[in-house]
Amino acid sequence: MATAVAPKKMAMKDFKPEVPPDWCPGCGDFGVLNALFQACAEIDLPPRDLLVVSGIGCSSNLPGFIRAYGVHSLHGRALPFATGAKLANHGMTVIATGGDGDGYGIGLNHFIQAMRRNIDVTYIVMNNEIYGLTTGQVSPTSETGMKTKTTPHGNLEQMLNPMALALASGCGYVARGFSGQPKHLMKLYVDGIRHRGFALIDVFSPCVTFNKVQTYEWFRERVYKLEETGHDPTNFKGAMDRALEWGEKIPIGLLYRNPSPPPSLHEQDPGLQSGVLVHLPLGVSGEQRRKCIGEFT
Amino acid sequence: MATAVAPKKMAMKDFKPEVPPDWCPGCGDFGVLNALFQACAEIDLPPRDLLVVSGIGCSSNLPGFIRAYGVHSLHGRALPFATGAKLANHGMTVIATGGDGDGYGIGLNHFIQAMRRNIDVTYIVMNNEIYGLTTGQVSPTSETGMKTKTTPHGNLEQMLNPMALALASGCGYVARGFSGQPKHLMKLYVDGIRHRGFALIDVFSPCVTFNKVQTYEWFRERVYKLEETGHDPTNFKGAMDRALEWGEKIPIGLLYRNPSPPPSLHEQDPGLQSGVLVHLPLGVSGEQRRKCIGEFT
Amino acid sequence: MNQPDVTIGIGGAAGDGVASAGNTLAVSVARQGQAVFAYNSYQSVIRGGHSWLRLRISAKKPLNHGDQVDAVIALNQDTLDRHLQELQAGGLVLYNSAKLKPRYEPPKGVQLCPLPVPQLTPAYEKLPVMQNTVAVGAAMHLMGLDFEGLASVLESTFAKKPQVVKVNVEAAKAGFDYAAAHFQPLPKQLQKTSRKWALMTGNELMAMGAAFAGCKFYCAYPMSPATHILEWFAGHAKELGICVRQVEDEISVVNMSIGAGHMGVRSMCATSGGGLALMTEAIGMAGMIETPVVVVNVMRAGPSTGVPTKTEQADLNQAFGASQGDFPRIVIAPLSMHDCFRTPALAFNLAERYQCPVIILADLLMCEDNETVDTSLLDVDFTIDRGELMTEANAQFDGKPYLRYEDTPSGISPRAMPGLPNHLYVSGTDEHDEDGVLLSDVFTDPVRRKKMVDKRARKMDTVLDHVPAPTLEGAVGAELTLVGWGSTWGVLVEAVERLNQEGISANHLQINLLVPFHVKAVTDILSRSKNIVIVENNFSGQFARHLRAETGLVARGHIRKYDGEPFEPKHIVAGVKEILAGKDLVNVLSTEPGWRTDHPTGTSGDWAGRLVGAARSV
Amino acid sequence: MNQPDVTIGIGGAAGDGVASAGNTLAVSVARQGQAVFAYNSYQSVIRGGHSWLRLRISAKKPLNHGDQVDAVIALNQDTLDRHLQELQAGGLVLYNSAKLKPRYEPPKGVQLCPLPVPQLTPAYEKLPVMQNTVAVGAAMHLMGLDFEGLASVLESTFAKKPQVVKVNVEAAKAGFDYAAAHFQPLPKQLQKTSRKWALMTGNELMAMGAAFAGCKFYCAYPMSPATHILEWFAGHAKELGICVRQVEDEISVVNMSIGAGHMGVRSMCATSGGGLALMTEAIGMAGMIETPVVVVNVMRAGPSTGVPTKTEQADLNQAFGASQGDFPRIVIAPLSMHDCFRTPALAFNLAERYQCPVIILADLLMCEDNETVDTSLLDVDFTIDRGELMTEANAQFDGKPYLRYEDTPSGISPRAMPGLPNHLYVSGTDEHDEDGVLLSDVFTDPVRRKKMVDKRARKMDTVLDHVPAPTLEGAVGAELTLVGWGSTWGVLVEAVERLNQEGISANHLQINLLVPFHVKAVTDILSRSKNIVIVENNFSGQFARHLRAETGLVARGHIRKYDGEPFEPKHIVAGVKEILAGKDLVNVLSTEPGWRTDHPTGTSGDWAGRLVGAARSV
Ligand SMILES: Cc1ncc(C[n+]2csc(CCOP(=O)(O)OP(=O)(O)O)c2C)c(N)n1
Ligand SMILES: Cc1ncc(C[n+]2csc(CCOP(=O)(O)OP(=O)(O)O)c2C)c(N)n1
Ligand code: SF4
Ligand code: SF4
Ligand SMILES: [Mg+2]
Ligand SMILES: [Mg+2]
């Protein structure tokens, strides 16, 4: 390594990039990003040890707006990419980000399987209940009845419930934040990143341009913090009850944390027991080779 | 129409095909199929009004073994195919069938979205907790720790819970059967097919060749019928409790039926209000045409 | 081309109302019998950024957006700065003098037309977008058109808000009159005609054409530049009795569409490159189970996510290679926006006659941009040919078992609509025999397997009889034949005219049917050509390769473009000259000053302190 | 070929132990220095049905499974009925006379060898599969080999159950001795040698070759005929320190593999046609973000689900057209099982050097079947070339900003392994500038866009320097050049020998690098060929088309096969003769009597009452 780097305390500015986000002024994603700067500083995570992987969407532009290693992959594929990356180098902290369409629409299968698989990735979904980048079509989290460009007579489908799905899929850390409450959100990130295993943080992140229903005001009127209600996040059934709540009152905060979380995937995978893959020598020893060949003679 | 057909009561034999199933002797799928013959006869459904759509897998060979219109589509795609078919001709009864790999592995996204979408399709999943046709690899419903050809050191992933996912996805009819209990299973089919909207019937259907753990005996020792316990299938929370049960005792029967089910998709879709699509005249009237053009002048 | 044409560029940021000003102007001129071809160069940001819309207007239908603006309407300072320099003598620029000021010397002979908007409309104070209305009014005058068309458009646009109509009409009139009083009209003056034009995008034409041709099921997942097809359908589903669904991904889209097609409706879906990639597996299924389905791929600049707002023709390889194995497929590239309207009807007829997937390869340029189409070309009854489809209305039951995949001489097996009595069958993606029973489950059956492959393949033998062969446009025996495919038709027509005017004798062949290929017809034409130059909007020359593979023909020269911006006639003319001077490959590039962009981190400019993190140590 | 070869066919139902009997026999002969080439024709049912395994055995390595069986081991009546007629004079059939009886007259000169199994082994009563051991023992003798090899194999097979070893060895010996006493040995007698062979499938060789070449991440979704690669990896993950995962679908597979490749490990995945279709979108991503990844496609008979247990070479179009847009990719088809072993090493080196996706096109024939490979060819150290990869070990930080996508003369931009200090970057699937910042989000930037397309494309300029050009095998100036690609190499080598023996002078060119293509080398060779005949295992001639597109070369004749069964030397010889007699396309077909199948509903036989429902009214 060419330059020795003195250990130092990270600050928000260390994560702020040179390229300014090109989201619409007022977009909820700014709050999501700022809280992430703060969380990374709080955890004191050197940017070079952080990989942020996204799909495609307004929200998925995020990796371009944070100083870290980043990947802006394919629509819906942030989680498989992040999974492969984490398994290849489990020394790095891996965060996946994206939108509701990306994660709960085209990418839904990967989302559920990633939770079952308990890969140590923190997944931040900027849920604006609309397809932003493609300029305003219905999303899996759009409310029933919602009129969008592609549902002029109102959405006929039932809203997808990411919290309940996460619980039903065995996710060990299930939280929801609101980009209008960045401090609270930051705390959810910090705990989620520290959680060993898959952590979901679904964030209400208003699309000021295309979602004229779920606005900041709409959320502000409805959200309440679980932390202020005595909710016990280690109680699975209580968490499921909260997850099903939607309407006048909508909970944000930590819904569930598995009190005895199983080891995460990289801690158990037989092939990773010899160390971090990217640092292992390539190929096999002559002895291993001859053993493998011998099995066929 | 060339031949007038006298209405008659259907019997099991009307659904039995000339081609005998080529499943391994003892395969659970025989029981699944037989119960289906019975259910179709019970409902008195003329074969020509029935479309059975499957994906790819041992279980997905089923449409070839029942006298009805059938489609043996792509691995994981039975539900989208069935959805398109139902919307095109909602006069027909549409049943989708497949395996656990097909429906909960590669096809999981479609499964969840079909439930949100409440398409009027009955989905029968032959859940043998293994990939049968490809000769014995781990499946999403394989138990943690299970040794298979691709998990020689034991499956590291958490088992997928189709019952809980279905409930979390708003499915209005959630049931589980066992191919070793064909009468009970038949009843679940009949109610599921009659249910207006998406109905899931997950069936324990042992793979006698590749799953040496979840055998008939294994299931017989564990399953108990919800109908015999006073379970109230209209109680969502109670259903969720049952859905999470797994181990010494495993419930079969109707877990949940929405007491006030919303209309199914074809009943609401704006384009279908004029009738069954396949029977509508093609093209548009001169008046409609000129109205459409006029919007651009 | 004895009719003059005028090209007006309107520029501003997203949110400045470029599109609506352009639309008002375009519909207004169309109501005075003018045809329009628009090209909008825009940016993948929802607000801010820059958007540059060019309208080419003439009583004679322009076939492309031209290569020179005559007038600019600058809605913001950025536009004034960027595009002023593109004007030539006689050109002019309109802008709100209360907000903007030219910061560069205009090119010689270019007229600055400042509009004192606050004086011209009192509404400006509250509604800054009124500047657009004033400018559009002024432009109408400067092109030599009447005010009425504009007034009627404003009236219909704001039909629901009568007060707004009044204010807008007054503002437009004020602009019109102010221009009359203060500015020199454009040297080229347009002539009113009584022709009726509809102003539409290729996407809208494709959607409408499909609906008119009997599409009853349309399913999609949003993806630029194909999304507007879905939006048109969603808006018309109820009145036209079409099932229109947005679903979870393109895999679901295409499988649903095939499911619907299987039941007997005409079914279509659309996407762009990455979505098509996800659809390929099911396209193979449609080939195998012989289900008609129409899949539209509106190409954009790739590879991968690429440049979602820019055009390209680089998905031919993908369409040709979609899915594993050999199976019949048809690939058609519409040549113009009007062709976008007709192509779905052709595609449905072919899909149903041959019971196979048909891929329509359109592109962003033709699908997202607006063009006027003669309304009489749209108000037509398409011939609907459903092929050998057995319905309750026509099916005969002779007591013999029904063979869904009967090995007929044509390879086409009469298809029973599910639900018909006495015709039960199973369609499987595994190899199957004539009755649908799987061959893949028998031990091996080389004879039947071959029979079924041959049967399916044989269907393609007659496709060429149902699609007219391409014909040579222009003088036979010209020195040079330009060969293009798809959307480049309009730009090539004009390039050929210009070349001939410049004394370079040229003619033109445009291909729309790519698979199967009119090998004989094309070979006959091109083997008589003295010099072939292939023009295509991609890097590797995918069509040139296809042509060689099909016919063995190799061109003398290639003109290609893959910079995101579309061809203009001048690029072709310049390219041809380079080829005549000895080059065999000319990669042309758009280099207008207005397209110079300030890169966020300035790769080619000043770096200091702007580059993504890397320069700072961690 | 001065060494005799013997081909033994073993047939039975799934469950009768065909594969294990074949394996015992093959390993036993291999331990006596014999090489083996096996071909198993089997059925997609888990139990029952028919399975027909042919082992061609010789001291000189056979390169294909031949076209004539010398001996049959019939494990069930069906096999006896089907395959007896395939034998020729001097041939013989072994069967358990306590269970089976020939129902047809054997062909002239064919020896019936009934084995009284119950008398020969008492264990038969409880273990009917003992008949296989007896028959294998008998076969060993009849080929002229010793008993020891077989005994040692049985010992290692049943190492964990010593009683079973004894019973089996005794039964085998009884069969061996019985044959010696009662039957005529085969006319061709094999000679023992001391060469060391490993008996492996192409899948196992591919997996092992990849692991030896440094593969550290392997991910897959089960799909025949590629599943065994996953199974080999899963079995060796722990000892070799390789992360091996089975995941939810092929989309996830390829994205994970690319994710792992992006971080700096050698990463591979494998599938078959339909899975490749699902992977195409991400293959374009790897092209765009310049991530090395190796994707193996083991082709099977298509289209769509097709015939999962049968072989074909019909995914070349798909590999060539995988994903939208133009981007660098490499496509390689291994020529033999030993080449399956070497190809991953080559693929990884190319993928890392050129930072692009590499597709390996193998097929069922070579990947599922067993062949002996000289162990000394396997025990090798592959050269590992990681290309311009910057790791903590070699990275220099000069204080200048790191440009992940630097526009270098070679087009190759040094790649920093994420985690490295001072080299932060973002990889995006949108078009991006040298520093990784998106160009798709600027208004338009034709100049930079073109620069980046050119940079990526330029990488391919030197690929051909790193992959040896194909060379002509056989006599220069022959009358006829057979051209093949991929797995047909072995069958073509033998066909050429036979043609020459029959006085038809022929030579042979086999292509393994399909993209990019050795245009110059291939053109040089083939333009000197008098008559080109292209042989490929598909319907449409995908390679012939590719060759024409790349070089303009058109063959005099084509021999194709798409009936599910692989080519045998006799097919090629016959095809060549038809071509010499004037045909230009010969579609050969396997027509052995043993392959006649009783179709469940009998399309070509008696219909009455057997057809799927349709014949009854509803
Ligand atoms: C395969 C594929 N299909 C479709 C698209 C087009 N597309 C880009 S972003 C997007 C959805 C964006 O919605 P979401 O994920 O909610 O993000 P947001 O923009 O709302 O933040 C779509 C459909 C694509 N890029 N790739
Ligand atoms: C795209 C694709 N990937 C993989 C396969 C191979 N495949 C066929 S069936 C199957 C899984 C079968 O498991 P399941 O759905 O549980 O059915 P079962 O055989 O157990 O009844 C797989 C992976 C395929 N046909 N298509
Ligand atoms: S469109 Fe919506 S989600 Fe996208 S940047 Fe604008 S406000 Fe944010
Ligand atoms: S392999 Fe298993 S699932 Fe398949 S047919 Fe046999 S028993 Fe049934
Ligand atoms: Mg969104
Ligand atoms: Mg299964």
Side-chain angles (χ1 to χ4, degrees), chain D residues 499-550:
Chain D
L499 286 168
N500 284 314
Q501 279 158 15
E502 298 194 24
I504 301 171
S505 103
N507 56 22
H508 170 203
L509 184 71
Q510 195 76 9
I511 307 291
N512 76 330
L513 183 66
L514 293 155
V515 182
F517 200 74
H518 274 295
V519 173
K520 199 182 156 318
V522 171
T523 309
D524 282 354
I525 294 171
L526 292 184
S527 55
R528 269 182 253 133
S529 295
K530 298 193 187 134
N531 290 296
I532 302 170
V533 174
I534 300 177
V535 180
E536 52 188 317
N537 204 176
N538 62 46
F539 167 80
S540 71
Q542 299 192 355
F543 173 77
R545 188 178 194 283
H546 186 64
L547 181 71
R548 188 179 199 189
E550 294 289 333

Side-chain angles (χ1 to χ4, degrees), chain B residues 56-59 75 100-102 128 130 132-133, chain C residues 281, chain D residues 221-223 250:
Chain B
I56 298 289
C58 290
S59 40
H75 189 42
D100 43 326
D102 198 71
N128 53 16
I130 199 85
L133 190 64
Chain C
E281 190 196 12
Chain D
Y221 187 73
M223 184 151 190
E250 289 86 352

